[in-house]
Amino acid sequence: MLPKIASEVSLPLAAAGGFADGRGLAAALMLGAQAVQMGTRFLASDECHIHANGKHAIIDAGPDGTFLLREGRHYPSRALSTPYTKHLLEQERAEIPAEQRVRSADAQMDGDLEAGMLTVGMSSYLIDDIRPAGEIVRAVVREAVQTLGAAAAYTRP
Ligand SMILES: Cc1cc2nc3c(=O)[nH]c(=O)nc-3n(C[C@H](O)[C@H](O)[C@H](O)COP(=O)(O)O)c2cc1C
């Protein structure tokens, strides 16, 4: 959607969803965005106050490590695959109860990944370490600059 939106708006455009490294930033810039917003990447940072279990679960998540939960919600939400979110998916509940907020707290703050729900993106699969946020930003920018520089090779005859 990025090129379409970029050609139709004159506002600065921040792309969000699935960006966790410099190659993603470079790709978003090429598709017409001026920035990326990264959520899950910063969950796996030293400064983020979620429980260490959640940070390690993000690092361990494979390509199928998250679910898109739709039922009974105002908007779809993606969560880490845990026994609880698997249960929600299987039940295809018409309404996800208010207890979900408690379940989120279970996972985020108490590290209970059996009973809890941790909302994370598919970008989990790209994340391999827990680092200070500043280091993450610097590494993303460095890799984006390298990637954009390397892409110039495609313009040579
Ligand atoms: C823990 C967490 C909570 C979030 N809560 C909201 C929210 O309440 N409303 C919303 O629009 N987006 C929410 N997001 C989505 C982010 O704003 C962002 O668009 C998304 O995480 C970007 O994808 P990424 O995680 O792959 O970087 C949340 C993301 C995370 C990781």
Side-chain angles (χ1 to χ4, degrees), residues 53 57 64-67 69 79-93 99 103 106-107 111-118:
N53 289 354
D64 300 324
T66 64
F67 289 132
L69 299 166
L80 192 74
S81 170
T82 64
Y84 176 60
T85 55
K86 277 182 193 163
H87 167 73
L88 286 180
L89 197 70
E90 281 162 13
Q91 295 295 307
E92 292 189 353
R93 289 185 179 179
E99 72 170 50
R103 299 290 195 156
D106 285 346
D112 184 349
L113 298 178
E114 287 289 315
M117 170 170 169
L118 188 64

Side-chain angles (χ1 to χ4, degrees), residues 42 45-47 131-142:
F42 289 106
S45 67
D46 287 347
E47 290 85 349
R131 286 197 277 167
E135 261 185 40
I136 292 170
V137 172
R138 282 188 287 276
V140 165
V141 171
R142 198 165 47 240

Side-chain angles (χ1 to χ4, degrees), residues 18-48:
F19 298 104
D21 60 19
R23 286 170 295 180
L25 171 57
L29 296 177
M30 289 299 91
L31 289 170
Q34 278 72 51
V36 292
Q37 174 193 313
M38 300 189 304
T40 307
R41 172 63 270 198
F42 289 106
L43 287 179
S45 67
D46 287 347
E47 290 85 349
C48 185

